[in-house]
Amino acid sequence: MGKSNITVEYIKSLGNSKNRSRESLDLLFQLFSGDYNIELKREIVSSIGRQTLNDEVLNFIDEQAFNNNPMELVYQMYRTCLYKGKGDGRFVKMGEKIRTRYDNENINKMYQYYQYRQGKNKRVRKKGVDSPVLLIGDTEKTLDQIPE
């Protein structure tokens, strides 16, 4: 397949559950070493992270997360560690290693968001206090929707 035929949709298809195989993973590793734009590279990393061969995925992250790759790719590798850490403690350790090395706002926000989504860091609501709401639209019109 020529370089011009590599699309985000194609890469996503390699990461989807029907196509997870040794061959798909090897192809994704090969694609990762190619000269592609950051959007495609990020999707390649994401598809690698969805593969079921955890030993190979973990080795990939260990090699690439600390190999001067753009932070957009490191962030994707970190997401893989967060979500695969639920079933494999090695990914928890790798995620901690990444978070320690790249201690920055984005990594910390990803960690906090993941903790929140897992129910590990949910705020206790006070009685009579409504949950925060995000309103989208013209400020003057939207503010009128909020009760005093």
Side-chain angles (χ1 to χ4, degrees):
M1 176 171 274
K3 183 178 175 180
S4 63
N5 295 335
I6 304 299
T7 64
V8 169
E9 292 76 25
Y10 172 69
I11 294 167
K12 281 183 179 183
S13 77
L14 293 173
N16 105 15
S17 61
K18 290 182 273 183
N19 292 327
R20 292 182 193 154
S21 67
R22 174 86 244 175
E23 294 78 27
S24 291
L25 185 57
D26 289 341
L27 178 55
L28 288 164
F29 287 154
Q30 182 182 359
L31 290 170
F32 182 81
S33 65
D35 183 28
Y36 296 102
N37 67 45
I38 195 71
E39 179 186 13
L40 286 175
K41 286 275 213 176
R42 189 175 47 243
E43 194 56 48
I44 292 167
V45 172
S46 177
S47 288
I48 288 171
R50 289 193 298 272
Q51 300 299 305
T52 57
L53 298 168
N54 282 354
D55 291 340
E56 286 84 352
V57 172
L58 191 63
N59 287 337
F60 168 80
I61 293 172
D62 193 28
E63 291 171 8
Q64 296 302 326
F66 310 101
N67 196 22
N68 296 320
N69 279 300
M71 285 309 295
E72 290 88 345
L73 303 183
V74 174
Y75 295 148
Q76 191 62 51
M77 293 174 201
Y78 183 63
R79 278 186 207 95
T80 295
C81 290
L82 289 173
Y83 288 96
K84 282 192 172 272
K86 286 186 275 188
D88 189 332
R90 298 174 302 163
F91 285 96
V92 173
K93 289 180 183 176
M94 181 60 66
E96 290 170 359
K97 186 176 172 183
I98 292 170
R99 201 168 75 242
T100 299
R101 169 80 180 272
Y102 301 105
D103 184 20
N104 67 43
E105 185 178 5
N106 287 338
I107 291 277
N108 290 323
K109 282 184 178 181
M110 280 189 275
Y111 178 74
Q112 290 168 359
Y113 179 73
Y114 175 78
Q115 293 293 311
Y116 173 78
R117 293 286 298 189
Q118 299 306 308
K120 297 177 183 173
N121 199 17
K122 291 194 178 182
R123 293 182 181 165
V124 177
R125 264 181 48 184
K126 293 181 181 176
K127 201 170 193 173
V129 176
D130 291 330
S131 296
V133 176
L134 176 64
L135 298 174
I136 300 172
D138 182 331
T139 305
E140 290 179 0
K141 293 176 185 172
T142 334
L143 285 175
D144 289 339
Q145 298 175 24
I146 303 172
E148 291 295 322

